Amino acid sequence: MTRTAIAALLAGSACAGVAQAEATVMRCSHQLPPAHHIALVVDQWAAEVETLSNGEIDVQVFGADSLVKANDNILAVAKGDIECAFSLNFQWGKTLPIMNVTVGPYTMSSIEAWKKWPTSEAAAYLEDKLSEKGVKNVAWMFQTNVSVFTSKGKFLQTPADFQGLKMRGLGPAFDKGLEAMGATTVSMPGSEVYQALATGVIDAAVTDVAAAWSRKYYEVQDHFVVVPVLAAYLHGYVTPAFHDGLTDPQKAALKKAGEKAAGWAIEASIEASAAAPDQLASKGVQVHIATDAENEAFKAVMQPAFAAGFEQETGAEGKELLDLIAKLQ
């Protein structure tokens, strides 16, 4: 081989090494199991970020609590321990309670409203608040407007059926509604609920109907009441310093991928919610679709309790956000 050829080969290898080194690694943590419909959307989003950035952003997704535990994701990103994470809105708890606005019983169950959400004033309002808490929001992924009350031995069809039950709670304001029906709530991440149900730590749960299927609740519960009681979303966020370090094209790729993922999440959630009740029934458990009268009974007890709790937690900010959400209805 000539000196010229060797020099060319070395130069090419060096260029390849530089190109490889320039790929920006973005580690993203979330709690969802691999089969969850939104976990699949997160994977699709990650691939889209890589495509739109021409491979300049290397998105590494760690699901099912495999990198950071669900309750630690927010702090890990805010501190810069990892670059990216996805959390359910109610995981913000007391840190940013206005994130729970859509969890209000029978508050935002319209799919049309969710289609408007990513570019709405309400979403922009929350993005500003998230920034104040040390994270940069990059994706909104609607997860469900169809939930289930799961139990063992009987359906939870009326408020009175909740009397004396221990349940996994979703957050202080929403839990006020469960407590108003006589339940006692226990705080825990979604990844721990199956085991808690299996061992009797809790008696019942409320979750996304599709999550009840993907997390195999049918193995530890035998009665499921399908209710449009709450709307939940997963959102993706990154460390602000990490985002600031991206080039403008990379930032644009992240933004565009987030916009696309918002649409994919709605499509996936509609499909998953429609299929899940029959999937659960196929496992031999009892499934009941709540009637209008049953939903009205739940609403009459839960909504005032949530409203009082939400106002206590959020004050003027909560009212301002609720007014912005009203524009979406």
Side-chain angles (χ1 to χ4, degrees):
M1 185 178 290
T2 66
R3 289 184 179 182
T4 303
I6 292 172
L9 180 61
L10 291 174
S13 298
C15 289
V18 170
Q20 187 174 6
E22 287 178 350
T24 301
V25 173
M26 184 166 72
R27 295 163 296 169
C28 292
S29 170
H30 70 77
Q31 72 182 64
L32 300 177
H36 194 287
H37 65 285
I38 295 299
L40 298 177
V41 174
V42 172
D43 290 341
Q44 189 177 4
W45 164 85
E48 189 68 11
V49 171
E50 293 185 345
T51 297
L52 294 176
S53 69
N54 294 316
E56 292 179 6
I57 301 178
D58 175 15
V59 187
Q60 300 174 4
V61 177
F62 300 83
D65 284 344
S66 59
L67 180 64
V68 177
K69 296 297 183 184
N71 290 341
D72 298 327
N73 277 327
I74 294 167
L75 183 59
V77 172
K79 289 171 59 180
D81 292 341
I82 59 174
E83 296 78 27
C84 163
F86 287 80
S87 293
L88 293 164
N89 51 320
F90 49 77
Q91 285 173 323
W92 280 89
K94 295 180 180 180
T95 303
L96 192 59
I98 57 172
M99 290 289 280
N100 287 331
V101 66
T102 66
V103 180
Y106 303 92
T107 294
M108 191 168 163
S109 54
S110 164
I111 290 295
E112 290 307 311
W114 277 104
K115 288 179 180 178
K116 301 173 187 175
W117 174 264
T119 57
S120 69
E121 292 177 87
Y125 185 90
L126 284 181
E127 286 172 352
D128 287 342
K129 296 301 177 184
L130 288 166
S131 179
E132 291 174 9
K133 296 299 180 181
V135 300
K136 165 71 176 176
N137 202 76
V138 295
W140 296 107
M141 296 184 184
F142 165 71
Q143 178 169 320
T144 187
N145 64 344
V146 183
S147 305
V148 280
F149 291 134
T150 81
S151 55
K152 197 167 186 178
K154 68 173 186 177
F155 285 122
L156 303 180
Q157 287 179 259
T158 72
D161 294 330
F162 288 75
Q163 189 67 42
L165 291 180
K166 289 181 295 181
M167 298 186 67
R168 180 244 183 151
L170 299 183
F174 182 82
D175 293 355
K176 294 289 186 185
L178 296 176
E179 291 160 5
M181 296 192 293
T184 300
T185 58
V186 179
S187 177
M188 66 179 66
S191 57
E192 297 178 10
V193 176
Y194 178 99
Q195 187 65 21
L197 290 169
T199 57
V201 171
I202 56 175
D203 306 307
V206 55
T207 189
D208 165 22
V209 64
W213 166 254
S214 64
R215 291 191 183 276
K216 301 183 178 181
Y217 281 19
Y218 52 80
E219 294 179 347
V220 291
Q221 301 270 267
D222 53 22
H223 284 69
F224 296 76
V225 176
V226 181
V227 284
V229 69
L230 63 90
Y233 58 86
L234 194 80
H235 72 111
Y237 50 93
V238 299
T239 307
F242 169 80
H243 188 268
D244 291 344
L246 298 176
T247 65
D248 287 344
Q250 289 170 345
K251 290 176 183 176
L254 200 56
K255 184 175 187 296
K256 185 65 175 178
E259 292 169 353
K260 289 187 173 184
W264 298 333
I266 289 175
E267 294 170 1
S269 295
I270 291 172
E271 183 178 346
S273 294
D278 287 342
Q279 290 173 325
L280 289 169
S282 75
K283 293 297 182 178
V285 300
Q286 302 296 307
V287 179
H288 170 71
I289 309 298
T291 66
D292 289 345
E294 288 166 346
N295 280 315
E296 284 302 317
F298 287 136
K299 182 178 179 179
V301 178
M302 297 182 73
Q303 202 168 67
F306 172 86
F310 190 69
E311 181 179 356
Q312 184 179 8
E313 283 187 280
T314 63
E317 287 185 349
K319 185 181 185 308
E320 186 176 357
L321 181 56
L322 283 169
D323 289 343
L324 293 175
I325 282 180
K327 296 181 180 181
L328 299 174
Q329 307 302 319

